[in-house]
């Protein structure tokens, strides 16, 4: 298009990708149009761990296929990092080279006065001629309005509305009229109704038009990852065998910082170097009078004590018996667990942060509290082990493909949902579009002992099988062994029965995160859609962060943390006890297949209490349960104890 459309990079990544329809406001004409994004003007994103991104893409695609979905351009069997490129908008600021290339679509308009239909030949012709805004029928001059309807198919194809011809021979489309909301055209010569049905040109499915504003026309498949600040650590976990056990060993306190640093230096190509050191030491001992076999044993023992590989193996063998869960036998899930711990530590140790005590002192200075003890008490009251404001956090948002009209293959009975790769910019190179964000946020780590007690009180966990709540190592190991990160995916809810503990813990922290985001607007000064979440179920913890540059430059979340954190939590707790859709919401009442009302205790949430914008929640507002926060008693006196409930 000839005119620029200003959007944030994050918004572009979510709403303005190639093959996606969006809105465009013509400032000159003061008119909004629907448009289709055709291309991006991008550049490679530098200084990233491409292998880690590629590994995540491959796993996501595999999970989609396991659920019965089809893929185009993303076959895991032939996928490798060499034929992928990670791109980001150039953001050159040059009006002649826009980052997002788009065109007006559909090009079918109707006159709001005489209702005549007008189809333009191309976007440039329409947008560059101001006269095209008016009807050209003799004596009319009415305003032309775009018909914002397109066709979309689960196979991934989509196209703009183009009128079918009148069935009367010779009438064509030039005599068609249209009235908003009718979803059909009328031939003004003979009154014949012209239906809008179209066959998909790729799979021959019958299609009917959908409004462009419908959210399922283009469903981006994305994921977020926290960049590890130390590349050596990231490389260690991704490339070195048994490295995940070492990360877990440090997490549970069996490996100190100095020892961990020594292991990180392990290079699988250093075997020859250590052999040379051993030989030289052995030779020296022999020269000093020791027998060769004794000298060799001493030399080998000395070198092994300082050899990172030997320390690594020792630590791994020490921890392996403690990691007994079946899901951790899968190498990908094991590494995912280790990386989640490293991501959590990256936030915790970012070097830019405010502790709860520092926040209390600031709140006291601003007279928003009467005593420091009042502020410090909120951690214990709301079941958190720690709350900390953290800054300078590097986050990558990545998009690798899209579907249309759905995101879970199991929701389509014919199994026809297709995941398509993002349009290629360079032949032979599949794109992953990504943006890097350095941001601030608030890290909430839940009290592991309190969660165990909550699970026991609700009859989810047998007290005899529970870990010692006074033993931090036992508590951490319980969450690692019982929270299956592989059971959490973008496409479906967590299975309540096959992954029981994962279901309850994830629903709890996810619900708490959404509750706080929903209530944030009045306290942070930021629109709630400017915030996003990052969850650490196996820690367990969650991070609420600002996903635009406005928030980071203003320090909005740091200000919130340092003055009104206690009010934010208190107000969130108060509002969770009421929803405009209660009692239907809290009772879990849904419309059944036969029209009756049925109860469903796996999805106690709605737009009135816990739902947030999908740009902030990449789990599609699934696995949320307000009962887990505030408690609930059903008609049969069955009690669900809330995590924030006083009982």
């Amino acid at each position: 298009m000839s005119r620029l459309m200003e959007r944030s990079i994050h918004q572009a990544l979510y709403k303005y990708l190639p093959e996606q329809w969006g809105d465009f406001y013509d400032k000159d004409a003061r008119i909004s149009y629907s448009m289709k994004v055709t291309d991006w003007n991008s550049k490679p994103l530098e200084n990233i761990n491409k292998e880690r991104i590629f590994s995540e893409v491959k796993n996501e695609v595999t999970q989609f296929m396991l659920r019965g979905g089809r893929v185009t351009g993303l076959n895991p069997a032939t996928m490798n990092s060499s034929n992928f490129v990670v791109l980001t908008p150039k953001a050159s600021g040059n009006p002649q080279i826009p980052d997002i290339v788009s065109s007006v679509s559909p090009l079918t308009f109707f006159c709001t006065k005489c209702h005549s239909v007008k189809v333009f030949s191309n976007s440039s012709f329409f947008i560059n001629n101001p006269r095209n805004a008016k009807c050209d029928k003799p004596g009319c001059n009415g305003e032309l309005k775009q018909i914002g309807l397109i066709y979309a198919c689960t196979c991934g194809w989509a196209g703009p509305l183009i009128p079918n011809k009148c069935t009367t021979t010779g009438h064509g489309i030039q005599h068609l009229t249209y009235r908003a909301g009718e979803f059909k055209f009328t031939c003004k010569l003979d009154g014949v109704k012209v239906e809008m049905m179209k066959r998909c040109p790729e799979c021959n499915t019958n299609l009917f038009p959908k409004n462009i504003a419908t959210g399922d026309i283009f469903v981006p498949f994305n994921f977020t990852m926290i960049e590890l600040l130390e590349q050596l650590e990231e490389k260690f976990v991704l490339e070195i065998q048994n490295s995940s056990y070492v990360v877990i060993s440090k997490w549970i306190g069996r490996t100190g910082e100095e020892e961990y640093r020594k292991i990180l230096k392990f290079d699988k190509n250093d075997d020859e170097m250590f052999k040379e050191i051993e030989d030289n030491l052995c030779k020296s001992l022999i020269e000093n009078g020791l027998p060769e076999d004794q000298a060799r044993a001493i030399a080998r023992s000395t070198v092994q004590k300082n050899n990172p590989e030997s320390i690594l193996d020792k630590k791994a063998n020490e921890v392996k018996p403690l990691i007994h869960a079946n899901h951790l036998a899968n190498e990908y899930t094991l590494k995912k667990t280790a990386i989640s711990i490293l991501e959590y530590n990256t936030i915790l140790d970012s070097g830019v942060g405010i502790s709860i005590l520092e926040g209390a002192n600031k709140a006291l200075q601003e007279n928003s509290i009467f005593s420091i003890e009042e502020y410090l008490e909120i951690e214990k009251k709301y079941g958190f082990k720690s709350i900390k404001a953290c800054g300078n956090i590097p986050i990558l948002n990545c998009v690798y493909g899209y579907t249309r009209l759905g995101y879970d293959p199991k929701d389509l009975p014919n199994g026809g949902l297709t995941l398509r790769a993002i349009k290629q910019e360079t032949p032979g190179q599949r794109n992953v579009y990504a943006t890097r964000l350095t941001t601030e946020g608030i890290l909430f780590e839940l009290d592991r002992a309190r969660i165990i007690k909550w699970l026991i009180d609700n009859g989810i966990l047998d007290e005899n099988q529970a870990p010692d709540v006074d033993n931090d190592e036992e508590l951490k190991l319980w969450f690692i062994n019982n929270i299956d990160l592989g059971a959490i995916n973008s496409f479906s809810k967590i299975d309540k029965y096959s992954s029981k503990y994962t279901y309850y813990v994830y629903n709890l922290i996810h619900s708490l995160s959404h509750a706080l985001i929903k209530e944030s607007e009045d306290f942070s000064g930021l629109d709630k859609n400017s915030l996003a979440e990052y969850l650490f179920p196996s820690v367990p913890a969650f991070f609420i962060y600002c996903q635009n540059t406005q928030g980071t430059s203003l320090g909005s979340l740091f200000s919130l943390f340092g003055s009104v954190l206690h009010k934010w939590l208190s107000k969130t707790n108060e509002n969770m006890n009421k929803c405009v859709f209660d009692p239907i919401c809290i009772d879990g009442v849904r419309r059944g297949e036969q029209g009756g009302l049925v109860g469903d205790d796996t999805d106690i949430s709605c737009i009135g209490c816990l739902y947030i914008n999908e740009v902030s929640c990449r789990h599609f507002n699934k696995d949320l349960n307000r009962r887990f926060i505030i408690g609930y008693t059903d008609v049969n006196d069955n009690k669900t104890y809330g995590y924030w409930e006083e009982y």
Side-chain angles (χ1 to χ4, degrees), residues 340 479 483-485 488 502 505-506 509 535-542:
S340 180
F479 281 91
I483 305 303
D484 180 5
L485 299 186
I488 306 166
T502 304
V505 172
Y506 186 90
I509 66 171
L535 308 183
F536 303 92
S538 55
V539 170
F542 59 90

Side-chain angles (χ1 to χ4, degrees), residues 346-491:
T346 292
I347 297 175
L348 199 62
D349 304 331
S350 64
V352 179
I354 302 175
S355 69
I356 192 77
L357 182 58
E358 291 168 322
N361 282 317
K362 184 177 180 182
L364 189 65
Q365 293 170 7
E366 295 179 357
N367 297 317
S368 63
I369 59 172
F370 295 108
S371 69
I372 289 180
E373 288 73 20
E374 173 192 348
Y375 203 89
L376 296 179
E377 187 66 23
I378 63 176
E379 283 186 335
K380 180 180 179 182
K381 179 178 180 179
Y382 293 104
F384 296 110
K385 185 176 186 294
S386 69
I387 308 174
K388 182 179 180 181
C390 304
N392 201 31
I393 309 302
I395 292 179
L396 277 180
N397 293 311
C398 305
V399 176
Y400 60 91
Y402 65 93
T403 58
R404 299 196 191 276
L405 308 185
Y407 55 83
D408 187 354
K410 288 199 171 181
D411 289 339
L412 294 176
N414 61 355
L417 190 64
T418 300
L419 172 60
R420 291 197 175 196
I422 296 292
K423 182 181 177 181
Q424 295 183 25
E425 290 192 16
T426 303
Q429 291 283 305
R430 291 295 178 192
N431 302 344
V432 174
Y433 283 130
T435 59
R436 178 185 279 114
L437 174 71
T438 301
T439 188
E440 69 177 30
I442 301 178
L443 183 64
F444 296 84
E445 181 181 345
L446 277 74
D447 185 335
R448 284 178 280 274
R450 180 154 162 176
I451 290 181
I452 294 298
K453 182 179 183 299
W454 175 74
L455 291 171
I456 292 171
D457 291 341
N458 280 298
I460 309 305
L461 175 63
D462 189 323
E463 188 170 7
N464 295 322
Q465 297 177 335
D468 182 352
V469 294
D470 296 320
N471 186 317
D472 195 48
E473 178 183 300
E474 275 196 38
L475 284 169
K476 286 181 174 180
L477 282 170
W478 188 91
F479 281 91
I480 287 171
N481 278 307
N482 288 281
I483 305 303
D484 180 5
L485 299 186
I488 306 166
N489 64 71
S490 303
F491 318 118

Side-chain angles (χ1 to χ4, degrees), residues 566-586:
H566 60 304
K567 294 179 181 178
W568 182 27
L569 283 161
S570 176
K571 189 67 174 178
T572 301
N573 184 32
E574 177 185 336
N575 285 344
M576 277 297 98
N577 283 280
K578 55 189 177 183
C579 173
V580 294
F581 297 106
D582 278 341
I584 291 175
C585 176
I586 195 65

Side-chain angles (χ1 to χ4, degrees), residues 5 7-21 35-45 85-92 97-103 218 220 222 397-400 422-426 431-436:
M5 175 183 67
R7 294 287 186 268
S8 70
I9 290 179
H10 180 79
Q11 190 179 21
L13 189 72
Y14 192 80
K15 294 186 66 177
Y16 297 94
L17 290 161
E19 302 300 319
Q20 188 170 15
W21 273 263
M35 59 83 183
K36 181 183 180 182
V37 178
T38 55
D39 298 283
W40 271 25
N41 183 23
S42 307
K43 63 181 179 181
L45 186 60
V85 59
V86 181
L87 301 174
T88 196
K90 282 185 176 178
S92 63
I97 311 175
D99 295 324
I100 299 173
V101 181
S102 60
S103 59
F218 184 101
N222 56 2
N397 293 311
C398 305
V399 176
Y400 60 91
I422 296 292
K423 182 181 177 181
Q424 295 183 25
E425 290 192 16
T426 303
N431 302 344
V432 174
Y433 283 130
T435 59
R436 178 185 279 114

Side-chain angles (χ1 to χ4, degrees), residues 260-272:
Y260 180 68
R261 291 286 148 197
K262 185 180 290 186
I263 298 172
L264 280 185
K265 295 176 183 178
F266 165 60
D267 186 333
K268 54 190 175 184
N269 298 316
D270 282 348
D271 288 347
E272 290 186 8

